[in-house]
Amino acid sequence: MRPVYLDVTRLLKGILFRKRATGVDRVSLAYVRHYGEDARAVLAARGHHFAVSHQASRRLFDVIKHYYEDDGRVERFQLANALLSSARSRIERGGVLIHTSHSGAEFDRYFRSLKLNGVDVVFMVHDLIPLTHASYCRTGTAQVHERRLRSALSMSSGIIANSRATLDDMTGYAASNGFRVPPAVVAKLAPGTEIGNDATAPIAGPYFVMVGTIEPRKNHLLILDVWRQMVERLGASAPKLVVIGREGWKCSNVIELLKNNALWQGTVAWYPDCPDTALGGWLKHARALLFPSFTEGYGMPVAEALTGGVPVIASDLSVLREYASDIPDYLDPLDLASWQARIMAYSNVDSPERAQQLARLVRFQVPTWEKHFEQVDRLLADLGS
């Protein structure tokens, strides 16, 4: 196989700032696990980049895996030592750089310099949300993301899309803007975390879980409105809601509500810094994962829940139907009454609605990293032929 290089800049920044892994990070970590034995690490800043030796790459990859797989229990000095011992070098002509995080691709000199030096770039596209739904994103994100897409379309040798929906969006963007789409594959994402096996539920009584960064497109406000109405009617006997995810952007109103314990009478809990081991335990005993997003590039928590046998109540998004088929219960993300009715129905111990989804769950075809990398390896082989 040709020399493989992995851009791990975003993963290393996550360690430096002690962040929990998002879906994008989980994907990048899967690439470190799959290719790390033979690949070399690449670091970049504002389009300037360098590779490190195989030996230094092993150290960096080990630090990355220990941090993200061991709930953040790694000291930053270990990362500093690995970086300080990393001698810089160029990426070899004939090599292939796999870029899995979007981050840094807005600086086109990154891809341009690699192309000029005979290096193939394979770029993963997670979504086009900053362009298709700019109002949900930070100010300026649309312009940055467009530069990333233009770099990928004009200078990369191959594209990895996490879903057919994402590839269709990118193909449409390319056609509208005069670009040719490089050779591309759809490689579905496997779960990034496992459901726990704890026999005992973390709390008593029926509860539901939401997983994801607190940001407008995740639609936390709808679910909090549902809970406000249930608490007004049922008081402390209302089912519980567990919100797992760090604070994002344009979400000050949601954060204020989550912190207002008196309003929820003990029925809503927020965990902004939840380790993966605890996340798996919360999902294991939930009545359902609630996923009312307005838009998604993939929706990894849905795949994680279904893989672990946990029912899902979700927005009716084409990308979810692409891999989850008809298994979840799908609702309009604006239909508060329907969400409330379904949540109350699922709260019952003998819920027929929940039992019906559990029966459908046996048909779920679990996406695996093995199948994902079969697609990616095929693309890499075609580029080298």
Side-chain angles (χ1 to χ4, degrees), residues 298-321:
Y298 191 76
M300 187 178 280
V302 172
E304 292 169 344
L306 295 178
T307 299
V310 180
V312 173
I313 306 173
S315 295
D316 194 355
L317 303 177
S318 60
V319 69
L320 299 183
R321 288 186 178 273

Side-chain angles (χ1 to χ4, degrees), residues 127-129 132 164-174 295-296:
D127 60 67
L128 276 73
I129 290 172
T132 59
R164 173 57 58 182
T166 296
L167 184 56
D168 287 347
D169 284 346
M170 186 162 191
T171 300
Y173 173 85
T295 183
E296 288 288 336

